[in-house]
Amino acid sequence: EAYRVADQGAATAAAATLLLWNVSKGKWSDPLIDSGREWIVPDALARGALLYRDVVYWFGPVTPYWHAAFFSLFGSSFATLALAGVVGSVAVCFALYVALRRVSDPPLPALWTALAVPALFFMPNAGGAILGMGYRMWHAAAFALGALTVASGGEAGTSRRRFFIA
């Protein structure tokens, strides 16, 4: 019985994700206004420039170097920027799911992660995680969730080690 409910929930989440993708496609952000700097900086890094020395950037290095890696692999394009956003979004959802597994019982982690998908992937015109200025916020959230997961797990007596890893 529990497996049937879980399968129905997974099918519903998959159908809702496909529906949201189709409804919101092309409405995530303006590629030039909301993604210009998020494209220019990693493009320069992919061509050999160094962050903070050659390129002025006011935030941490993870997001631009993440995108620069994608640009190096797939070329500097709008599609590559969106691909990096999708992969980053999936990573944030995975981090959320793993963190929620530490503090709740099944099937709640899957449910809460599925409910996060509309805000993370498909919120139109919000500078979200697929395109826009939200990259650096979502990437930081993934690291924070990972740190919480590490800090909250394990056996007693290893808390100091977990603390330093987190």
Side-chain angles (χ1 to χ4, degrees):
E1 180 68 28
Y3 288 112
R4 191 177 68 173
V5 170
D7 288 343
Q8 289 173 343
T12 302
T17 299
L18 289 174
L19 176 69
L20 288 167
W21 173 271
N22 285 324
V23 168
S24 68
K25 192 162 59 173
K27 299 175 188 168
W28 300 311
S29 279
D30 184 283
L32 296 178
I33 294 171
D34 293 334
S35 300
R37 182 161 194 74
E38 310 308 323
W39 189 347
I40 293 167
V41 171
D43 179 65
L45 299 178
R47 290 184 283 116
L50 291 177
L51 199 62
Y52 310 121
R53 185 191 77 180
D54 304 321
V55 179
V56 175
Y57 193 68
W58 299 291
F59 306 101
V62 172
T63 297
Y65 279 110
W66 168 261
H67 290 152
F70 275 81
F71 287 173
S72 294
L73 290 172
F74 303 110
S76 179
S77 71
F78 183 70
T80 302
L81 188 63
L83 174 65
V86 169
V87 173
S89 298
V90 170
V92 173
C93 283
F94 179 74
L96 176 63
Y97 176 77
V98 171
L100 288 171
R101 283 192 56 186
R102 294 273 191 191
V103 297
S104 62
D105 295 324
L108 292 177
L111 173 64
W112 285 109
T113 302
L115 291 173
V117 167
L120 185 59
F121 282 74
F122 303 116
M123 190 175 294
N125 302 317
I130 294 177
L131 290 174
M133 299 176 289
Y135 293 128
R136 53 190 173 264
M137 172 186 59
W138 291 113
H139 295 161
F143 280 110
L145 288 166
L148 287 171
T149 301
V150 169
S152 66
E155 298 295 321
T158 61
S159 61
R160 179 175 272 171
R161 183 172 167 227
R162 284 194 324 267
F163 171 77
F164 283 111
I165 291 171

